[in-house]
Amino acid sequence: SQPQAKSKKTDFTPLQKNRILSLLGPGEMISFAKEKRSFAELESTLTLQRKKDIREMYEDSRENLLGKLERTITEFLVDMGFLEVKSPILIPFEYMERMGVGEDKKLSEQIFRVGDNMCLRPMLAPGLYNHLRKFDNVLPDPVRIFEIGPCYRKESDGNSHLEEFTMLNFCQMGSNCTRDELEYLIKELLDFLGIEFEIVADSCMVYGDTIDVMHKKMELSSAVVGPVPMDMDWGVNKPWIGAGFGLERLLKAKHDFKNIKRAARSESYYNGISINL
Amino acid sequence: SQPQAKSKKTDFTPLQKNRILSLLGPGEMISFAKEKRSFAELESTLTLQRKKDIREMYEDSRENLLGKLERTITEFLVDMGFLEVKSPILIPFEYMERMGVGEDKKLSEQIFRVGDNMCLRPMLAPGLYNHLRKFDNVLPDPVRIFEIGPCYRKESDGNSHLEEFTMLNFCQMGSNCTRDELEYLIKELLDFLGIEFEIVADSCMVYGDTIDVMHKKMELSSAVVGPVPMDMDWGVNKPWIGAGFGLERLLKAKHDFKNIKRAARSESYYNGISINL
Ligand SMILES: Nc1ncnc2c1ncn2[C@@H]1O[C@H](COP(=O)(O)OP(=O)(O)OP(=O)(O)O)[C@@H](O)[C@H]1O
Ligand SMILES: Nc1ncnc2c1ncn2[C@@H]1O[C@H](COP(=O)(O)OP(=O)(O)OP(=O)(O)O)[C@@H](O)[C@H]1O
Ligand SMILES: [Mg+2]
Ligand SMILES: [Mg+2]
Ligand SMILES: [Mg+2]
Ligand SMILES: [Mg+2]
């Protein structure tokens, strides 16, 4: 039966396999070796199913998964006493130098430069540092703020990286900035979202020691218990804690997407469903 | 009294005047000629008032005006049967050529290029064109979609332009794509938001004849009754209508901000209030 199985497999070219995989529903699987239908038959069946999915979804809610997750998290954090911040996405490149990105060769090569002096933010930390400094002695202690929005890094290899993704970063400055409090906040958020996780220790060039939050083998978040030496360059001189999450990774974990592209800002998928129909 | 008034005015340098103006509350005015307090006294009074404003706002809601307006409009349009789209912000520069931006010298000079082949979107039309084409014969007729998100143009002069702003674009394709329907949708939205407006005719290089929506002397929106010749290059061949609004301009109109910077993604203002305190 080996030769027979082989001849079955050659019915699908690599291009055809990719097309079929892209047309599967978010949780669906296929065994090409066992598949009896021709490419044309399979493609047209799946295309019809996906059209039906999109129509049902349209009747059902019409909300975009990424937009909706941003709203869900925003409501949750605002209720927890965090202030919603929206800072610039196009930022001075000088901020990156002040973040010590120059010393992290990998991250410094990932920055999208814009003109001579600007870049697309790869993280939310600079904007949050500036807000923490300005809100100190203005907001009640501890100061609690967060931002959700687009970030950019030149790294799109594998199933968990996008060049354009959406970061959530919450932080607290002043009283009670302990590792326990940080882990409590992470647990509250991920329990609320219904996403399983595990906390492990890690270290990174920019912040020194960090806590990583994993879902199976995928990093959901890196979190930091400050203070860190860099705080001085941002005019921040109180203890702080903070965590950064990728929203597309949260969606990938939640909906069991094989590839993070299904969760991205995209012209190929809508809410995890192919729209190349 | 002319010399006396003059000597009063010279109490404030241009830099000091700007500082004081930035510290005024969103609707507040000041007459420097009549002002009796010294710069230091005035600055410290206003600073205290703004700290109080921020604390009250924090106790009250903790939502960011720009984020909240995006959510309010999203809920409104989803209820009206529009599908929420989130497409890439970093797009192929080729899209701009296909939008005919090359023929509009002013707009083509406003594009932020990123690397050799990409740029920051100056408008939402390319992503919406691609979605309209892909949703044709998938979503029920008429197809109704919208997007809200960051757009970029090199033009920050005056009180109504930002380099980084937030666009809303809704559109409908198929049946009932008339000028009346377009004006009805615009009126429903702006009445819902409580913003006064006037509809006037205009024309633009990219789309030909457009309808402009004005608030006093500020353009809130340009709207188009398709089809237009360019549709062919995007594979769209049904009638359509659409309108693009700047969210920061809607906030400026609604809250009577003197300068649009108060409504922008910013590290200087939070919800229209200075945070350089
Ligand atoms: N390129 C990316 N695409 C999607 N999400 C990302 C990307 N880079 C980072 N994130 C998300 O942002 C979070 C915080 O950013 P951080 O700088 O810790 O990422 P990272 O440690 O470089 O992640 P990785 O090691 O997976 O590249 C990550 O845990 C992840 O959820
Ligand atoms: N630089 C900008 N800053 C803030 N909002 C903008 C900017 N450019 C455009 N908008 C908003 O987007 C809407 C649709 O974009 P459109 O291309 O019609 O702008 P425009 O005609 O170039 O506006 P203007 O003539 O004021 O420059 C505008 O009506 C406005 O509300
Ligand atoms: Mg990385
Ligand atoms: Mg990390
Ligand atoms: Mg313009
Ligand atoms: Mg216009």
Side-chain angles (χ1 to χ4, degrees), chain B residues 44-80:
Chain B
S44 106
T45 306
L46 290 173
T47 302
L48 282 177
Q49 283 173 1
R50 294 302 81 79
K51 286 188 181 179
K52 202 164 153 274
D53 290 351
I54 301 251
R55 269 193 295 267
E56 277 174 17
M57 194 206 59
Y58 174 85
E59 293 305 332
D60 221 49
S61 100
R62 293 185 294 284
E63 286 186 81
N64 178 282
L65 277 185
L66 196 55
K68 189 176 173 175
L69 180 58
E70 176 177 333
R71 293 189 286 275
T72 304
I73 297 175
T74 295
E75 198 184 339
F76 175 82
L77 290 174
V78 163
D79 283 350
M80 301 265 288

mmCIF file of all heavy atoms in Angstrom, chain B residues 44-80:
data_model
loop_
_atom_site.group_PDB
_atom_site.id
_atom_site.type_symbol
_atom_site.label_atom_id
_atom_site.label_comp_id
_atom_site.label_asym_id
_atom_site.label_seq_id
_atom_site.Cartn_x
_atom_site.Cartn_y
_atom_site.Cartn_z
ATOM 1 N N SER B 44 0.926 78.592 38.189
ATOM 2 C CA SER B 44 0.717 77.654 39.298
ATOM 3 C C SER B 44 -0.776 77.435 39.580
ATOM 4 O O SER B 44 -1.209 76.325 39.898
ATOM 5 C CB SER B 44 1.507 78.099 40.533
ATOM 6 O OG SER B 44 0.671 78.628 41.506
ATOM 7 N N THR B 45 -1.602 78.491 39.408
ATOM 8 C CA THR B 45 -3.055 78.338 39.561
ATOM 9 C C THR B 45 -3.616 77.352 38.538
ATOM 10 O O THR B 45 -4.378 76.435 38.876
ATOM 11 C CB THR B 45 -3.768 79.692 39.354
ATOM 12 O OG1 THR B 45 -3.188 80.640 40.239
ATOM 13 C CG2 THR B 45 -5.257 79.575 39.620
ATOM 14 N N LEU B 46 -3.219 77.560 37.274
ATOM 15 C CA LEU B 46 -3.742 76.701 36.202
ATOM 16 C C LEU B 46 -3.263 75.262 36.373
ATOM 17 O O LEU B 46 -4.017 74.312 36.143
ATOM 18 C CB LEU B 46 -3.338 77.253 34.828
ATOM 19 C CG LEU B 46 -4.013 78.561 34.408
ATOM 20 C CD1 LEU B 46 -3.415 79.092 33.112
ATOM 21 C CD2 LEU B 46 -5.531 78.368 34.256
ATOM 22 N N THR B 47 -2.010 75.115 36.769
ATOM 23 C CA THR B 47 -1.460 73.769 36.963
ATOM 24 C C THR B 47 -2.254 73.009 38.012
ATOM 25 O O THR B 47 -2.611 71.842 37.818
ATOM 26 C CB THR B 47 0.025 73.869 37.388
ATOM 27 O OG1 THR B 47 0.734 74.578 36.367
ATOM 28 C CG2 THR B 47 0.644 72.501 37.547
ATOM 29 N N LEU B 48 -2.569 73.691 39.116
ATOM 30 C CA LEU B 48 -3.368 73.056 40.159
ATOM 31 C C LEU B 48 -4.758 72.669 39.651
ATOM 32 O O LEU B 48 -5.265 71.583 39.967
ATOM 33 C CB LEU B 48 -3.508 73.994 41.368
ATOM 34 C CG LEU B 48 -2.287 74.062 42.289
ATOM 35 C CD1 LEU B 48 -2.514 75.086 43.401
ATOM 36 C CD2 LEU B 48 -2.010 72.674 42.892
ATOM 37 N N GLN B 49 -5.361 73.570 38.852
ATOM 38 C CA GLN B 49 -6.691 73.269 38.305
ATOM 39 C C GLN B 49 -6.643 72.047 37.378
ATOM 40 O O GLN B 49 -7.514 71.188 37.411
ATOM 41 C CB GLN B 49 -7.250 74.481 37.547
ATOM 42 C CG GLN B 49 -7.782 75.561 38.483
ATOM 43 C CD GLN B 49 -8.187 76.825 37.728
ATOM 44 O OE1 GLN B 49 -8.088 76.898 36.497
ATOM 45 N NE2 GLN B 49 -8.626 77.827 38.469
ATOM 46 N N ARG B 50 -5.632 71.978 36.550
ATOM 47 C CA ARG B 50 -5.535 70.847 35.606
ATOM 48 C C ARG B 50 -5.283 69.536 36.345
ATOM 49 O O ARG B 50 -5.797 68.502 35.963
ATOM 50 C CB ARG B 50 -4.449 71.099 34.559
ATOM 51 C CG ARG B 50 -4.707 72.264 33.593
ATOM 52 C CD ARG B 50 -5.992 72.145 32.780
ATOM 53 N NE ARG B 50 -7.205 72.539 33.478
ATOM 54 C CZ ARG B 50 -7.621 73.801 33.668
ATOM 55 N NH1 ARG B 50 -6.902 74.804 33.242
ATOM 56 N NH2 ARG B 50 -8.757 74.059 34.281
ATOM 57 N N LYS B 51 -4.474 69.578 37.419
ATOM 58 C CA LYS B 51 -4.275 68.361 38.220
ATOM 59 C C LYS B 51 -5.602 67.893 38.796
ATOM 60 O O LYS B 51 -5.904 66.699 38.797
ATOM 61 C CB LYS B 51 -3.275 68.617 39.361
ATOM 62 C CG LYS B 51 -1.827 68.727 38.891
ATOM 63 C CD LYS B 51 -0.853 68.779 40.058
ATOM 64 C CE LYS B 51 0.574 68.919 39.548
ATOM 65 N NZ LYS B 51 1.568 69.006 40.618
ATOM 66 N N LYS B 52 -6.396 68.844 39.247
ATOM 67 C CA LYS B 52 -7.716 68.532 39.792
ATOM 68 C C LYS B 52 -8.610 67.926 38.700
ATOM 69 O O LYS B 52 -9.289 66.918 38.928
ATOM 70 C CB LYS B 52 -8.343 69.819 40.358
ATOM 71 C CG LYS B 52 -9.429 69.614 41.380
ATOM 72 C CD LYS B 52 -9.690 70.918 42.164
ATOM 73 C CE LYS B 52 -11.118 70.964 42.669
ATOM 74 N NZ LYS B 52 -12.079 71.519 41.673
ATOM 75 N N ASP B 53 -8.591 68.528 37.529
ATOM 76 C CA ASP B 53 -9.378 68.013 36.389
ATOM 77 C C ASP B 53 -9.022 66.551 36.095
ATOM 78 O O ASP B 53 -9.899 65.716 35.881
ATOM 79 C CB ASP B 53 -9.091 68.812 35.104
ATOM 80 C CG ASP B 53 -9.652 70.220 35.157
ATOM 81 O OD1 ASP B 53 -10.401 70.529 36.110
ATOM 82 O OD2 ASP B 53 -9.330 71.014 34.249
ATOM 83 N N ILE B 54 -7.710 66.269 36.048
ATOM 84 C CA ILE B 54 -7.261 64.915 35.696
ATOM 85 C C ILE B 54 -7.707 63.935 36.774
ATOM 86 O O ILE B 54 -8.169 62.833 36.465
ATOM 87 C CB ILE B 54 -5.726 64.864 35.541
ATOM 88 C CG1 ILE B 54 -5.251 65.839 34.446
ATOM 89 C CG2 ILE B 54 -5.242 63.439 35.286
ATOM 90 C CD1 ILE B 54 -4.753 65.224 33.195
ATOM 91 N N ARG B 55 -7.581 64.343 38.033
ATOM 92 C CA ARG B 55 -7.998 63.440 39.118
ATOM 93 C C ARG B 55 -9.504 63.174 39.065
ATOM 94 O O ARG B 55 -9.951 62.043 39.255
ATOM 95 C CB ARG B 55 -7.619 64.033 40.487
ATOM 96 C CG ARG B 55 -6.231 63.594 40.959
ATOM 97 C CD ARG B 55 -6.022 63.936 42.422
ATOM 98 N NE ARG B 55 -6.018 65.379 42.632
ATOM 99 C CZ ARG B 55 -4.913 66.138 42.644
ATOM 100 N NH1 ARG B 55 -3.723 65.579 42.486
ATOM 101 N NH2 ARG B 55 -4.991 67.434 42.836
ATOM 102 N N GLU B 56 -10.299 64.216 38.787
ATOM 103 C CA GLU B 56 -11.748 64.031 38.697
ATOM 104 C C GLU B 56 -12.107 63.110 37.546
ATOM 105 O O GLU B 56 -12.947 62.217 37.684
ATOM 106 C CB GLU B 56 -12.442 65.386 38.502
ATOM 107 C CG GLU B 56 -12.664 66.116 39.827
ATOM 108 C CD GLU B 56 -13.223 67.514 39.615
ATOM 109 O OE1 GLU B 56 -13.741 67.789 38.496
ATOM 110 O OE2 GLU B 56 -13.116 68.330 40.554
ATOM 111 N N MET B 57 -11.466 63.325 36.431
ATOM 112 C CA MET B 57 -11.689 62.500 35.249
ATOM 113 C C MET B 57 -11.328 61.052 35.548
ATOM 114 O O MET B 57 -12.052 60.134 35.179
ATOM 115 C CB MET B 57 -10.768 63.059 34.165
ATOM 116 C CG MET B 57 -11.006 62.627 32.773
ATOM 117 S SD MET B 57 -9.389 62.805 32.018
ATOM 118 C CE MET B 57 -8.413 61.695 33.063
ATOM 119 N N TYR B 58 -10.229 60.860 36.286
ATOM 120 C CA TYR B 58 -9.788 59.517 36.644
ATOM 121 C C TYR B 58 -10.835 58.818 37.512
ATOM 122 O O TYR B 58 -11.190 57.665 37.275
ATOM 123 C CB TYR B 58 -8.438 59.590 37.372
ATOM 124 C CG TYR B 58 -7.971 58.256 37.914
ATOM 125 C CD1 TYR B 58 -7.281 57.366 37.102
ATOM 126 C CD2 TYR B 58 -8.233 57.885 39.227
ATOM 127 C CE1 TYR B 58 -6.869 56.133 37.587
ATOM 128 C CE2 TYR B 58 -7.827 56.663 39.723
ATOM 129 C CZ TYR B 58 -7.136 55.788 38.896
ATOM 130 O OH TYR B 58 -6.743 54.574 39.374
ATOM 131 N N GLU B 59 -11.377 59.547 38.502
ATOM 132 C CA GLU B 59 -12.405 58.957 39.369
ATOM 133 C C GLU B 59 -13.671 58.631 38.587
ATOM 134 O O GLU B 59 -14.367 57.656 38.854
ATOM 135 C CB GLU B 59 -12.758 59.935 40.515
ATOM 136 C CG GLU B 59 -11.646 60.185 41.521
ATOM 137 C CD GLU B 59 -11.092 58.892 42.139
ATOM 138 O OE1 GLU B 59 -11.834 57.907 42.227
ATOM 139 O OE2 GLU B 59 -9.896 58.894 42.502
ATOM 140 N N ASP B 60 -13.917 59.492 37.598
ATOM 141 C CA ASP B 60 -15.156 59.453 36.826
ATOM 142 C C ASP B 60 -15.219 58.303 35.825
ATOM 143 O O ASP B 60 -16.183 57.554 35.773
ATOM 144 C CB ASP B 60 -15.216 60.766 36.036
ATOM 145 C CG ASP B 60 -16.593 61.332 36.042
ATOM 146 O OD1 ASP B 60 -17.157 61.407 37.139
ATOM 147 O OD2 ASP B 60 -17.083 61.695 34.953
ATOM 148 N N SER B 61 -14.185 58.153 34.988
ATOM 149 C CA SER B 61 -14.335 57.166 33.910
ATOM 150 C C SER B 61 -13.072 56.412 33.484
ATOM 151 O O SER B 61 -13.148 55.243 33.142
ATOM 152 C CB SER B 61 -14.965 57.815 32.682
ATOM 153 O OG SER B 61 -13.993 58.137 31.719
ATOM 154 N N ARG B 62 -11.927 57.041 33.451
ATOM 155 C CA ARG B 62 -10.659 56.410 33.056
ATOM 156 C C ARG B 62 -10.592 55.978 31.598
ATOM 157 O O ARG B 62 -9.658 55.297 31.197
ATOM 158 C CB ARG B 62 -10.316 55.233 33.978
ATOM 159 C CG ARG B 62 -10.009 55.659 35.402
ATOM 160 C CD ARG B 62 -9.567 54.516 36.279
ATOM 161 N NE ARG B 62 -10.618 53.554 36.502
ATOM 162 C CZ ARG B 62 -11.647 53.735 37.339
ATOM 163 N NH1 ARG B 62 -11.766 54.852 38.030
ATOM 164 N NH2 ARG B 62 -12.546 52.801 37.483
ATOM 165 N N GLU B 63 -11.620 56.345 30.798
ATOM 166 C CA GLU B 63 -11.565 56.002 29.377
ATOM 167 C C GLU B 63 -10.936 57.138 28.583
ATOM 168 O O GLU B 63 -11.194 58.313 28.832
ATOM 169 C CB GLU B 63 -12.979 55.726 28.845
ATOM 170 C CG GLU B 63 -13.538 54.403 29.297
ATOM 171 C CD GLU B 63 -14.870 54.109 28.635
ATOM 172 O OE1 GLU B 63 -14.874 53.656 27.491
ATOM 173 O OE2 GLU B 63 -15.913 54.348 29.275
ATOM 174 N N ASN B 64 -10.132 56.765 27.593
ATOM 175 C CA ASN B 64 -9.503 57.734 26.702
ATOM 176 C C ASN B 64 -10.526 58.201 25.660
ATOM 177 O O ASN B 64 -11.226 57.386 25.062
ATOM 178 C CB ASN B 64 -8.303 57.050 26.042
ATOM 179 C CG ASN B 64 -7.593 57.944 25.059
ATOM 180 O OD1 ASN B 64 -8.061 58.132 23.937
ATOM 181 N ND2 ASN B 64 -6.473 58.497 25.467
ATOM 182 N N LEU B 65 -10.604 59.531 25.428
ATOM 183 C CA LEU B 65 -11.620 60.076 24.519
ATOM 184 C C LEU B 65 -11.559 59.469 23.126
ATOM 185 O O LEU B 65 -12.586 59.188 22.514
ATOM 186 C CB LEU B 65 -11.457 61.596 24.392
ATOM 187 C CG LEU B 65 -12.083 62.485 25.465
ATOM 188 C CD1 LEU B 65 -11.901 63.946 25.073
ATOM 189 C CD2 LEU B 65 -13.561 62.164 25.631
ATOM 190 N N LEU B 66 -10.329 59.291 22.609
ATOM 191 C CA LEU B 66 -10.178 58.775 21.243
ATOM 192 C C LEU B 66 -10.600 57.305 21.193
ATOM 193 O O LEU B 66 -11.309 56.881 20.280
ATOM 194 C CB LEU B 66 -8.713 58.937 20.818
ATOM 195 C CG LEU B 66 -8.356 58.840 19.355
ATOM 196 C CD1 LEU B 66 -9.163 59.806 18.509
ATOM 197 C CD2 LEU B 66 -6.860 59.110 19.172
ATOM 198 N N GLY B 67 -10.174 56.542 22.196
ATOM 199 C CA GLY B 67 -10.566 55.141 22.261
ATOM 200 C C GLY B 67 -12.073 54.998 22.439
ATOM 201 O O GLY B 67 -12.713 54.163 21.803
ATOM 202 N N LYS B 68 -12.631 55.849 23.273
ATOM 203 C CA LYS B 68 -14.061 55.775 23.556
ATOM 204 C C LYS B 68 -14.888 56.148 22.325
ATOM 205 O O LYS B 68 -15.898 55.503 22.029
ATOM 206 C CB LYS B 68 -14.389 56.719 24.718
ATOM 207 C CG LYS B 68 -15.793 56.569 25.247
ATOM 208 C CD LYS B 68 -16.008 57.456 26.460
ATOM 209 C CE LYS B 68 -17.465 57.425 26.868
ATOM 210 N NZ LYS B 68 -17.688 58.172 28.114
ATOM 211 N N LEU B 69 -14.439 57.170 21.593
ATOM 212 C CA LEU B 69 -15.171 57.559 20.376
ATOM 213 C C LEU B 69 -15.128 56.410 19.358
ATOM 214 O O LEU B 69 -16.125 56.111 18.697
ATOM 215 C CB LEU B 69 -14.582 58.843 19.767
ATOM 216 C CG LEU B 69 -15.267 59.341 18.492
ATOM 217 C CD1 LEU B 69 -16.757 59.606 18.720
ATOM 218 C CD2 LEU B 69 -14.579 60.608 17.960
ATOM 219 N N GLU B 70 -13.962 55.752 19.238
ATOM 220 C CA GLU B 70 -13.875 54.589 18.347
ATOM 221 C C GLU B 70 -14.900 53.530 18.770
ATOM 222 O O GLU B 70 -15.611 52.964 17.936
ATOM 223 C CB GLU B 70 -12.461 53.994 18.358
ATOM 224 C CG GLU B 70 -12.383 52.730 17.504
ATOM 225 C CD GLU B 70 -10.981 52.123 17.397
ATOM 226 O OE1 GLU B 70 -9.990 52.860 17.517
ATOM 227 O OE2 GLU B 70 -10.904 50.896 17.184
ATOM 228 N N ARG B 71 -15.015 53.284 20.065
ATOM 229 C CA ARG B 71 -15.953 52.262 20.545
ATOM 230 C C ARG B 71 -17.417 52.667 20.319
ATOM 231 O O ARG B 71 -18.249 51.858 19.913
ATOM 232 C CB ARG B 71 -15.704 51.988 22.038
ATOM 233 C CG ARG B 71 -14.355 51.318 22.289
ATOM 234 C CD ARG B 71 -14.187 50.856 23.720
ATOM 235 N NE ARG B 71 -13.942 51.925 24.667
ATOM 236 C CZ ARG B 71 -12.753 52.464 24.943
ATOM 237 N NH1 ARG B 71 -11.665 52.043 24.314
ATOM 238 N NH2 ARG B 71 -12.626 53.416 25.844
ATOM 239 N N THR B 72 -17.710 53.955 20.570
ATOM 240 C CA THR B 72 -19.080 54.450 20.383
ATOM 241 C C THR B 72 -19.516 54.313 18.922
ATOM 242 O O THR B 72 -20.614 53.835 18.632
ATOM 243 C CB THR B 72 -19.141 55.948 20.792
ATOM 244 O OG1 THR B 72 -18.673 56.068 22.134
ATOM 245 C CG2 THR B 72 -20.553 56.490 20.684
ATOM 246 N N ILE B 73 -18.636 54.731 18.003
ATOM 247 C CA ILE B 73 -18.973 54.664 16.578
ATOM 248 C C ILE B 73 -19.061 53.210 16.123
ATOM 249 O O ILE B 73 -19.937 52.831 15.337
ATOM 250 C CB ILE B 73 -17.941 55.444 15.730
ATOM 251 C CG1 ILE B 73 -17.959 56.936 16.096
ATOM 252 C CG2 ILE B 73 -18.196 55.245 14.240
ATOM 253 C CD1 ILE B 73 -16.892 57.765 15.390
ATOM 254 N N THR B 74 -18.151 52.370 16.639
ATOM 255 C CA THR B 74 -18.155 50.946 16.270
ATOM 256 C C THR B 74 -19.485 50.307 16.647
ATOM 257 O O THR B 74 -20.114 49.622 15.829
ATOM 258 C CB THR B 74 -16.991 50.211 16.970
ATOM 259 O OG1 THR B 74 -15.760 50.742 16.473
ATOM 260 C CG2 THR B 74 -17.033 48.706 16.684
ATOM 261 N N GLU B 75 -19.940 50.552 17.867
ATOM 262 C CA GLU B 75 -21.206 49.971 18.311
ATOM 263 C C GLU B 75 -22.361 50.461 17.433
ATOM 264 O O GLU B 75 -23.221 49.669 17.010
ATOM 265 C CB GLU B 75 -21.444 50.347 19.781
ATOM 266 C CG GLU B 75 -22.470 49.454 20.452
ATOM 267 C CD GLU B 75 -22.771 49.896 21.884
ATOM 268 O OE1 GLU B 75 -21.949 50.611 22.491
ATOM 269 O OE2 GLU B 75 -23.863 49.535 22.372
ATOM 270 N N PHE B 76 -22.347 51.762 17.134
ATOM 271 C CA PHE B 76 -23.403 52.349 16.308
ATOM 272 C C PHE B 76 -23.452 51.696 14.918
ATOM 273 O O PHE B 76 -24.509 51.286 14.442
ATOM 274 C CB PHE B 76 -23.154 53.864 16.186
ATOM 275 C CG PHE B 76 -24.098 54.571 15.266
ATOM 276 C CD1 PHE B 76 -25.371 54.952 15.706
ATOM 277 C CD2 PHE B 76 -23.727 54.875 13.966
ATOM 278 C CE1 PHE B 76 -26.243 55.610 14.859
ATOM 279 C CE2 PHE B 76 -24.605 55.535 13.110
ATOM 280 C CZ PHE B 76 -25.864 55.903 13.554
ATOM 281 N N LEU B 77 -22.303 51.572 14.275
ATOM 282 C CA LEU B 77 -22.271 51.043 12.898
ATOM 283 C C LEU B 77 -22.545 49.542 12.856
ATOM 284 O O LEU B 77 -23.201 49.048 11.940
ATOM 285 C CB LEU B 77 -20.946 51.395 12.221
ATOM 286 C CG LEU B 77 -20.766 52.878 11.883
ATOM 287 C CD1 LEU B 77 -19.361 53.154 11.347
ATOM 288 C CD2 LEU B 77 -21.816 53.342 10.857
ATOM 289 N N VAL B 78 -22.023 48.802 13.840
ATOM 290 C CA VAL B 78 -22.309 47.365 13.914
ATOM 291 C C VAL B 78 -23.825 47.151 14.043
ATOM 292 O O VAL B 78 -24.397 46.290 13.370
ATOM 293 C CB VAL B 78 -21.529 46.711 15.084
ATOM 294 C CG1 VAL B 78 -22.111 45.354 15.451
ATOM 295 C CG2 VAL B 78 -20.050 46.571 14.708
ATOM 296 N N ASP B 79 -24.474 47.984 14.861
ATOM 297 C CA ASP B 79 -25.933 47.905 15.006
ATOM 298 C C ASP B 79 -26.664 48.220 13.705
ATOM 299 O O ASP B 79 -27.757 47.721 13.466
ATOM 300 C CB ASP B 79 -26.419 48.882 16.099
ATOM 301 C CG ASP B 79 -26.156 48.345 17.494
ATOM 302 O OD1 ASP B 79 -25.782 47.167 17.614
ATOM 303 O OD2 ASP B 79 -26.308 49.114 18.459
ATOM 304 N N MET B 80 -26.057 49.082 12.878
ATOM 305 C CA MET B 80 -26.676 49.445 11.595
ATOM 306 C C MET B 80 -26.386 48.392 10.520
ATOM 307 O O MET B 80 -26.731 48.590 9.360
ATOM 308 C CB MET B 80 -26.109 50.792 11.103
ATOM 309 C CG MET B 80 -26.303 51.957 12.034
ATOM 310 S SD MET B 80 -27.789 52.890 11.613
ATOM 311 C CE MET B 80 -27.276 53.713 10.099
#
